[in-house]
């Protein structure tokens, strides 16, 4: 019980605005406390996990650390950017460079932005699309314009498109749609907005980059020298 109370105290340390650069010892202390929270996380209720995950992820962002507690949901998938109103987040859909990114849903000529692609964000008949995940691992639906797709963010009656659903980026009161939540796709100052992942089988995960060294040519075999005879 004492350890749970300590985690609650950790979660109460969230700062309202980005703090100055933290020292190395502060970062180590945060990582140690994070380790303890992960050990206790499975014993908490789903609602408590979601609340604490959000707070700790926010605190981690102040230390320059990305915290994702449910990476299993996105393992094996390829990330293609962030669904965010913050144009300064790398890979953000609000960035001016997104229109030229071949994998961005903002590019009308790209596979995920074309109105004719089965995975296109502008296609009103798409049955697939980029998958949206919150930084806490919560699935937030598919990015397409099909109002009849039950998983689409464009479906006003669906779990992921309704303005009343807690897992909808269109709900201004949810942590994923609020103008003030660090998890939100709508917050222009969010530091950990939702991530976009390619549908299974469309793009392969990026392999770790390795610089291959050229094979060295085999050295020629030297002839054996004749043995010297002693006088």
């Amino acid at each position: 019980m004492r350890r749970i109370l300590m985690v609650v105290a950790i979660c109460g340390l969230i700062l309202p605005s980005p703090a100055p650069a933290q020292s190395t010892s502060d970062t180590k202390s945060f990582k140690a406390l994070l380790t303890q929270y992960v050990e206790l996380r499975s014993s908490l209720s789903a609602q408590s996990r979601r609340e604490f995950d959000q707070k700790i992820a926010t605190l981690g962002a102040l230390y320059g650390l990305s915290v994702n507690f449910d990476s299993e949901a996105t393992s094996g998938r390829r990330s293609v950017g962030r669904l965010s109103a913050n144009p300064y987040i790398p890979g953000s859909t609000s960035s001016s460079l997104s229109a030229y990114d071949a994998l961005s849903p903002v590019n009308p000529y790209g596979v995920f932005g074309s109105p004719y692609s089965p995975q296109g964000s502008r296609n009103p008949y798409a049955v697939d699309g980029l998958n949206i995940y919150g930084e806490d691992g919560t699935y937030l639906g598919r990015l397409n314009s099909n109002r009849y797709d039950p998983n689409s963010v464009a479906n006003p009656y669906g779990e992921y498109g309704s303005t009343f659903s807690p897992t909808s980026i269109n709900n201004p009161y949810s942590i994923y749609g609020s103008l003030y939540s660090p998890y939100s796709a709508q917050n222009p100052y969010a530091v950990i907005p939702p991530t976009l992942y390619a549908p299974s089988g469309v793009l392969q995960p990026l392999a770790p980059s390795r610089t291959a060294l050229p094979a060295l040519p085999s050295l020629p075999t030297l002839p054996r020298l004749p043995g010297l005879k002693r006088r």
Side-chain angles (χ1 to χ4, degrees):
M1 182 65 182
R2 180 181 300 175
R3 296 180 67 189
I4 293 180
L5 291 176
M6 181 183 65
V7 170
V8 174
I10 295 171
C11 295
L13 294 177
I14 302 303
L15 303 178
S17 59
Q22 308 292 334
S23 65
T24 303
S25 60
D26 290 339
T27 303
K28 289 182 178 179
S29 298
F30 171 75
K31 289 182 177 180
L33 294 174
L34 177 62
T35 300
Q36 296 184 40
Y37 170 68
V38 171
E39 293 175 355
L40 296 172
R41 185 172 179 266
S42 59
S43 64
L44 302 176
S45 66
Q47 180 64 27
S48 296
R49 280 200 305 269
R50 177 172 295 182
E51 293 177 359
F52 289 162
D53 286 357
Q54 178 187 2
K55 294 179 179 180
I56 289 183
T58 304
L59 183 59
L62 300 181
Y63 285 88
L65 302 173
S66 177
V67 182
N68 189 342
F69 298 103
D70 293 299
S71 58
E72 297 85 0
T74 55
S75 62
R77 297 175 181 265
R78 179 173 172 182
S79 169
V80 297
R82 297 270 193 171
L83 182 62
S84 176
N86 186 346
Y88 302 105
I89 293 289
S92 171
T93 50
S94 296
S95 169
S96 58
L97 300 177
S98 296
Y100 306 99
D101 186 346
L103 300 181
S104 174
V106 179
N107 186 345
Y109 303 102
V111 61
F112 300 120
S114 169
Y116 308 106
S117 169
Q119 294 86 25
S121 61
R122 294 177 173 84
N123 188 350
Y125 305 104
V127 293
D128 203 354
L130 290 173
N131 293 294
I132 310 168
Y133 282 88
E135 187 66 20
D136 59 351
T138 302
Y139 180 63
L140 302 176
R142 280 197 291 254
L143 189 64
N144 64 38
S145 299
N146 189 345
R147 293 170 55 88
Y148 302 100
D149 181 354
N151 292 324
S152 174
V153 295
N155 186 340
Y157 305 104
E159 180 181 357
Y160 307 110
S162 169
T163 55
F164 303 101
S165 172
T167 54
S168 172
I169 62 172
N170 298 324
N171 183 349
Y173 301 103
S174 76
I175 62 174
Y176 309 108
S178 168
L179 290 176
Y180 307 101
S181 169
Y183 275 10
S184 175
Q186 312 293 348
N187 183 355
Y189 303 103
V191 291
I192 44 176
T195 303
L196 297 169
Y197 290 89
S200 301
V202 178
L203 293 178
Q204 295 299 323
L206 291 176
S209 58
R210 296 181 180 177
T211 303
L213 296 176
L216 295 176
S218 57
L219 297 175
T221 304
L222 298 176
R224 296 186 59 185
L225 298 175
L228 299 177
K229 295 182 180 180
R230 294 184 178 179
R231 292 182 178 178

